[in-house]
Amino acid sequence: MGFRKSLAAGIAATLSIPAFAAPLPRPPAFAMCAACHKTQPGASSPMGPNLWGVGGRKPASLTGYTFSPALQKLQQPWTRATLIAFITDPRKIAPGNRMAYAGQKDPAVAAALADYMLSLK
């Protein structure tokens, strides 16, 4: 194999390896969330659960935090769709949950918040 073909094969192989990306930039709307939620690995959860690694996690499954019975009833893992639905109207998705947040009615902002949370890994 020639040098160019070898180089091209090496580059292609390198590009196929998944990269460990840094979290997305924190959206301005997350300021309200940050009052209760930490986003660093291993950070304590005094007010609300730590959101690091929330993507794919089953609701109410983070150890070290006591979740409401309403969140304990949820079964679907946190995906982009489930996070957007919850961020938009938490009382509709988990009636009786303890989070003091009425919801984000702007779909673009809700999606940006969900995307940011999913990048926390």
Side-chain angles (χ1 to χ4, degrees), residues 35-113:
C36 297
H37 294 280
K38 304 288 185 195
T39 58
Q40 301 82 21
S44 64
S45 302
M47 295 289 289
N50 185 338
L51 297 177
W52 183 264
V54 72
R57 189 166 69 204
K58 183 180 176 234
S61 64
L62 180 68
T63 57
Y65 186 79
T66 305
F67 290 89
S68 66
L71 279 173
Q72 292 175 19
K73 290 178 186 176
L74 298 180
Q75 295 299 308
Q76 282 197 331
W78 292 119
T79 63
R80 187 173 194 269
T82 57
L83 280 169
I84 289 172
F86 187 74
I87 292 164
T88 301
D89 194 348
R91 285 172 182 71
K92 178 180 177 185
I93 301 304
N97 79 74
R98 295 186 306 243
M99 187 166 67
Y101 178 67
Q104 175 51 250
K105 303 310 177 204
D106 183 333
V109 174
L113 289 168

